[in-house]
Amino acid sequence: MRRIGPFRIVWRPSLNLPCSVPPVPISGQVILQTVVFHSPRKELRGRHILREHSNRSFVDTLSQASNMTTHSGRRVPVEPQRVDAPLTQSATFLVVTIADRPGASRVVRSVLSDIDGLAKNVAIRDLNAAFACTVGIGNDAWPSLTRIPRPTELHPFPVVYGQKHTAVSTPGDLLFHIRSERRDLCFEFERQLLDALGDAVTVVDVTAGFRYFDVRDLLGFVDGTANPVGPAVPDSVLVAEEDAAVAGGSFIVVQKYVHDIKAWNGLSTEQQEAIIGRRKLDNVELDDAAAGQQQSHKSLATIEDENGDEHDILRDNMPFGSPGSGEFGTYFIGYSRRLWVIEKMLQRMFVGNPPGLHDRLLDFSTPLTGTTFFAPSSSFLKNMDLGDD
């Protein structure tokens, strides 16, 4: 047991996360992922706590406590809605639609409310495999599953028409972003999950990704360099007071790209670097082109608001494919507090900035899918099975 300020840090036997309890019984609860904190403050929610108070040290104390581990390090590391889970060796991206029949939504709600238990059942096989699963709910499925209004920005993925390339929109009611250091754990979780869902869902896309060398894509460049880190993660990824009913959640956009590797490899390294905006070997950024000129992928994917403030997203992209079948691809998955940030990024890529000067990476990369989801907090998921249809 440790003491941090007025709080004692104690440990629950089934988790590797701490529970902070004040020295005397008081009312009110603070829910921080799967950990319950008791506090004299008003109820605060989310992994990075939302607050009406200005006491930053109080908030930081609870947030730091949530990231501690046991002294033995041998508890099951399961956080089903950890959108910032570390990049692993393997990932499965499973997209399904919900059957249009009586009882299907009830089955799905039951499974989602116990997704933590299902994840623990798989994660226990290897405590060091960093297993995690994040669940996203699509626009069309949100009302029947949650029975509350949609998040303010949630809507179907919009088709983006450029002069040369199009970002397609494809169906999807649920996304399961499954991650682990071991491919077999991803496989086993997917198997148990689909067994539990049964004929309540139909699989519309499943993609198995892998980490490629030093976090490179199959085009040979390091991917994810611009991700936020440290304190910048919650501000970039987690919905806050602007949409209090779904605070602690995150918008997700997925696209499955396939690459024309033969054409790409026909370019010189210098040509490839100009398209990406970084040096291939050491990942160093190249200078931006002048305004009105052809911009690199790096520049087009940098988003600012009307005040000139830059907004980041969290990418967990993974390569996928098979040389034997001639398939080489990247599964793009972006988490964001603000859906408009990703949508503006896609507009700049496909339409161009200025219009007509599209992202030249699209001359070698074609999107096969495009779907938007919202990942609610884990406490939200746990309560989904309460109440009647």
Side-chain angles (χ1 to χ4, degrees):
M1 180 176 69
R2 290 185 56 190
R3 181 179 293 275
I4 298 181
F7 291 86
R8 296 196 310 274
I9 305 301
V10 298
W11 302 99
R12 289 186 175 176
S14 62
L15 297 171
N16 75 326
L17 299 175
C19 177
S20 235
V21 184
V24 295
I26 48 180
S27 61
Q29 288 187 328
V30 177
I31 300 177
L32 188 58
Q33 286 193 338
T34 57
V35 184
V36 176
F37 292 84
H38 297 280
S39 164
R41 306 292 181 115
K42 294 181 179 180
E43 179 173 302
L44 307 175
R45 300 176 181 174
R47 181 170 185 274
H48 298 271
I49 299 171
L50 311 175
R51 64 197 186 284
E52 297 178 17
H53 307 280
S54 60
N55 189 341
R56 182 72 187 183
S57 62
F58 172 79
V59 174
D60 288 343
T61 296
L62 296 183
S63 186
Q64 291 165 10
S66 73
N67 292 321
M68 295 173 65
T69 58
T70 60
H71 66 280
S72 65
R74 301 303 298 171
R75 302 302 185 200
V76 181
V78 176
E79 296 176 276
Q81 288 298 103
R82 275 195 59 194
V83 299
D84 62 341
L87 188 66
T88 51
Q89 292 288 344
S90 296
T92 298
F93 305 93
L94 176 65
V95 177
V96 305
T97 54
I98 300 172
D100 183 16
R101 64 167 181 79
S105 291
R106 186 183 305 112
V107 171
V108 171
R109 279 199 300 271
S110 177
V111 172
L112 295 187
S113 67
D114 193 39
I115 200 76
D116 188 9
L118 184 60
K120 289 179 183 177
N121 188 47
V122 173
I124 194 68
R125 316 290 181 90
D126 185 344
L127 304 178
N128 297 313
F131 182 87
C133 175
T134 302
V135 179
I137 302 174
N139 177 80
D140 293 348
W142 183 272
S144 63
L145 286 182
T146 69
R147 295 160 292 187
I148 67 169
R150 293 179 178 90
T152 303
E153 283 194 82
L154 183 61
H155 52 250
F157 183 97
V159 178
V160 182
Y161 296 100
Q163 290 183 6
K164 188 173 180 181
H165 303 290
T166 300
V168 298
S169 178
T170 53
D173 291 331
L174 296 171
L175 166 72
F176 298 93
H177 181 193
I178 307 164
R179 289 163 279 184
S180 177
E181 292 294 330
R182 292 176 48 170
R183 173 70 191 127
D184 56 345
L185 294 189
C186 294
F187 173 92
E188 180 62 14
F189 181 84
E190 180 188 348
R191 184 189 69 81
Q192 293 190 23
L193 174 65
L194 291 176
D195 282 350
L197 291 169
D199 61 3
V201 302
T202 299
V203 175
V204 293
D205 187 69
V206 59
T207 303
F210 55 89
R211 185 158 57 181
Y212 189 59
F213 296 116
D214 50 337
V215 202
R216 292 181 183 265
D217 55 32
L218 298 185
L219 302 177
F221 285 78
V222 174
D223 196 4
T225 302
N227 276 348
V229 296
V233 174
D235 286 342
S236 300
V237 175
L238 299 179
V239 172
E241 66 278 353
E242 69 272 12
D243 201 350
V246 292
S250 182
F251 292 97
I252 311 175
V253 172
V254 297
Q255 289 180 293
K256 183 176 182 177
Y257 286 88
V258 290
H259 307 305
D260 185 345
I261 287 294
K262 184 177 180 179
W264 178 257
N265 288 340
L267 301 177
S268 67
T269 297
E270 290 75 19
Q271 289 174 315
Q272 293 179 353
E273 291 175 340
I275 291 172
I276 298 297
R278 293 180 180 275
R279 294 208 299 247
K280 192 170 186 178
L281 179 62
D282 58 14
N283 196 41
V284 173
E285 284 191 12
L286 302 180
D287 292 336
D288 293 335
Q293 302 300 310
Q294 176 66 57
Q295 301 293 312
S296 68
H297 173 72
K298 179 259 301 182
S299 297
L300 291 171
T302 301
I303 303 303
E304 296 180 348
D305 60 24
E306 63 276 8
N307 298 318
D309 296 324
E310 189 172 320
H311 292 275
D312 295 327
I313 67 170
L314 182 68
R315 299 168 179 83
D316 253 343
N317 303 350
M318 276 278 192
F320 69 89
S322 167
S325 61
E327 183 181 56
F328 302 85
T330 297
Y331 200 98
F332 166 79
I333 178 167
Y335 290 90
S336 181
R337 174 178 177 176
R338 306 164 183 89
L339 182 57
W340 69 263
V341 173
I342 301 180
E343 293 183 343
K344 183 175 180 180
M345 186 182 302
L346 294 175
Q347 284 284 335
R348 287 164 59 89
M349 289 173 58
F350 283 83
V351 176
N353 183 45
L357 295 181
H358 65 269
D359 188 341
R360 290 186 59 211
L361 183 58
L362 297 175
D363 295 340
F364 307 90
S365 305
T366 303
L368 303 181
T369 67
T371 320
T372 299
F373 302 92
F374 186 82
S377 67
S378 71
S379 57
F380 185 103
L381 286 179
K382 290 176 183 177
N383 292 318
M384 281 187 65
D385 202 28
L386 301 178
D388 300 324
D389 282 330

